[in-house]
Amino acid sequence: MGYRVSSTVAAALLSLTGCSLIYNPGNLPNPASDAILPDGTPDTPIIPIDADPALLEITDVSPRELLEGQGIDGSRRAVVVVTGANIVAGATVQITAHAGETGTPLITVHNEDVVVSTDGITVAVPITVDVDPSIGPGVLASIRLDVAVTQPTAGEPITKALVERETADDPILTLRGLREQLGGGTLTIDLASPPPLFSKIDATTLAFTGTANLPVLEAVSSLTITNPLSVSATGQTAGVGGANGGAGGPGGVLDGSLGSAGTGTGGGTPSGGGGSFGEQGLAGPGAPGDIAGLASLATLTSPNRGSGGAGGNGVSLGSAGGAGGGGGGTVALTAGGDLTFSAITADGGAGAAGGNAGGGGSGGAVLLRAGNTITVTGAGVSAIGGTSPGTGKGGNGRVRFDAGRKSTTVTSTPAAGHRGAMLDVGTALIVRDQTPSLTFQGNGGSGLSYTVENADSSITRGPVALELPGTGTLTLPDGIAVDLFRGVSIFCVRIEGANGTSVATAKNCVTIVFVP
């Protein structure tokens, strides 16, 4: 039988048990208490026990859902954590379709990497879920799964399963099928609705219709776009997510008429001022807008959008002013594993000629994220400001890329793309240390913060603020990080400038499982 040891005598047991106490001044327990903390974490060391393998019991599993595509093409494998009692070394986990389910889950259980807790309460195992076109929206939305554990005993092996807890409204574990694009071809996304989550995208051409939502596309595993993708402005009309250019002032009146200011936070002012975003546009002779937004593109809402150039003034008894160019559009591509593309353009529109020329629109916003690598096969990223027949050229936009592999680089104009903070691709799936060593990658000199959430995100520890050194790589030694939760922890790195926002573009999250 397992037992707990009082905090007051724990130190005396360290040499006997091999456990270590972690000093964390932000989370010191009450020395008089041996209770379980509200998040389910014991406030005392875990003491190894002599489990009886014949008395195996299985009571719960976490998480409750697997996603199609987890663990392939450079993405992190899922980890299933089974809770019970008397689990011993040599235990293996089986995951199968529930009786009556029509689908056959393409799941690989990596029992060669299974980890059993020293107190016999949990077993964790990595999982790979291959892409399966036979499941997904409009086909078979999900497959209910059963979970079992088998382990050796003094006699025959014993198996215990969770099938008896299955109900239609509360399945033990579910595999969620997702949409996929395989084998090239054109993938058309209707922005009238938020783009769906994909298991994998391998498309020759990516096209968007509608403008209600931003082109924000995510794949659980890999995302590949072979042909160039453009969200650039066209003349006065902004790319999707950008702001339009101002109208030119009418000519032919005695005093001429002012053109309209460019729209957006960094819009130029008449006559013909360039739009501004990551860089300031030029005067034309009206003033350009001010630099807007954040290099980190922590969010893709205003002011992190391309801005329009101002319209030119009309000429007295002469011609109308030219329209200002629209701001470049916004696009975000996220891959859980590898991201591959040829060229992405989010350029500002050109100002038009007229009595006085319109100013150019600013470049737009491009966000690229990959849990593993980003590979550029063509010209790379362009988010440059639009030209003008006058002097009011638009300023360049902003580019951010996040990648788990340190060697990743992205060719971009403007050249200095911002690298957002992310945990290194080598971050372990399952750890024995509640405060493991962690390595962060990002833009040298930039700030970040991180939080740790439990499996259902009902409890959050942190945030803790850090600053990356000039090298862009920072490794936290053991004992400094915020404690992980027992079992599943969701570790989220928040981008510089996120200011507490929890939107997806402001953070990069991975799951780490702590098994004591």
Side-chain angles (χ1 to χ4, degrees), residues 243-246 260-284 286-292 305-311 324-328 348-351 358-364 383-388 391-397:
N244 291 329
S260 299
T263 59
T265 304
T269 60
S271 170
S276 302
F277 183 21
E279 295 176 352
Q280 192 167 39
L282 301 179
D290 293 329
I291 293 176
R305 302 278 189 94
S307 300
S362 80
I384 61 176
T387 60
S388 170
T391 57
K393 181 184 182 298
N396 288 337

Side-chain angles (χ1 to χ4, degrees), residues 49-488:
I49 63 171
D50 294 325
D52 184 345
L55 299 179
L56 171 67
E57 294 293 338
I58 303 301
T59 57
D60 205 358
V61 63
S62 181
R64 305 303 289 271
E65 181 179 72
L66 302 175
L67 298 179
E68 182 187 3
Q70 286 184 287
I72 67 170
D73 296 348
S75 63
R76 286 173 68 83
R77 295 183 294 184
V79 177
V80 169
V81 181
V82 182
T83 304
N86 292 294
I87 306 172
V88 299
T92 59
V93 177
Q94 298 81 47
I95 299 177
T96 55
H98 185 66
E101 292 292 271
T102 57
T104 301
L106 300 181
I107 293 175
T108 301
V109 182
H110 297 279
N111 277 305
E112 69 276 12
D113 296 322
V114 72
V115 178
V116 177
S117 66
T118 56
D119 58 7
I121 292 175
T122 54
V123 55
V125 65
I127 306 293
T128 297
V129 186
D130 211 342
V131 172
D132 183 358
S134 69
I135 61 174
V139 184
L140 179 63
S142 62
I143 299 175
R144 293 179 296 167
L145 303 172
D146 291 336
V147 179
V149 173
T150 299
Q151 66 184 24
T153 69
E156 294 295 319
I158 185 173
T159 298
K160 287 294 181 72
L162 280 170
V163 291
E164 66 273 12
R165 294 187 61 240
E166 167 70 22
T167 67
D169 295 332
D170 184 25
I172 294 166
L173 183 62
T174 299
L175 167 59
R176 177 154 64 103
L178 303 171
R179 183 177 170 185
E180 56 269 322
Q181 177 80 15
L182 305 176
T186 298
L187 173 59
T188 301
I189 302 296
D190 183 2
L191 298 180
S193 301
L197 177 64
F198 284 76
S199 60
K200 177 174 180 170
I201 296 175
D202 179 10
T204 303
T205 301
L206 180 60
F208 298 101
T209 61
T211 58
N213 292 280
L214 292 178
V216 177
L217 201 58
E218 181 176 1
V220 172
S221 58
S222 60
L223 196 163
T224 300
I225 307 295
T226 304
N227 287 341
L229 167 65
S230 176
V231 291
S232 295
T234 304
Q236 186 180 358
T237 303
V240 176
N244 291 329
V253 294
L254 288 177
D255 57 356
S257 295
L258 292 177
S260 299
T263 59
T265 304
T269 60
S271 170
S276 302
F277 183 21
E279 295 176 352
Q280 192 167 39
L282 301 179
D290 293 329
I291 293 176
L294 299 169
S296 64
L297 290 177
T299 69
L300 296 179
T301 56
S302 180
N304 289 315
R305 302 278 189 94
S307 300
N313 293 346
V315 175
S316 175
L317 302 180
S319 59
T330 302
V331 64
L333 303 179
T334 298
D338 299 319
L339 172 61
T340 304
F341 70 96
S342 168
I344 298 173
T345 56
D347 296 340
N356 286 281
S362 80
V366 178
L367 171 57
L368 306 171
R369 300 191 294 169
N372 192 30
T373 62
I374 301 177
T375 301
V376 181
T377 62
V381 180
S382 176
I384 61 176
T387 60
S388 170
T391 57
K393 181 184 182 298
N396 288 337
R398 297 191 185 278
V399 177
R400 175 183 132 203
F401 69 95
D402 308 349
R405 193 167 294 277
K406 175 63 176 177
S407 59
T408 293
T409 59
V410 174
T411 304
S412 66
T413 306
H418 182 91
R419 183 165 187 167
M422 180 178 276
L423 280 176
D424 186 83
V425 67
T427 300
L429 294 167
I430 306 171
V431 297
R432 288 287 197 181
D433 189 344
Q434 194 172 11
T435 56
S437 177
L438 299 169
T439 298
F440 302 85
Q441 312 285 4
N443 227 57
S446 66
L448 64 92
S449 64
Y450 64 89
T451 59
V452 181
E453 302 172 6
N454 62 347
D456 64 2
S457 299
S458 61
I459 304 172
T460 300
R461 292 173 174 166
V464 173
L466 300 171
E467 182 174 311
L468 291 170
T471 61
T473 300
L474 174 65
T475 298
L476 291 181
D478 293 351
I480 293 180
V482 167
D483 292 350
L484 299 177
F485 295 91
R486 178 169 183 150
V488 173

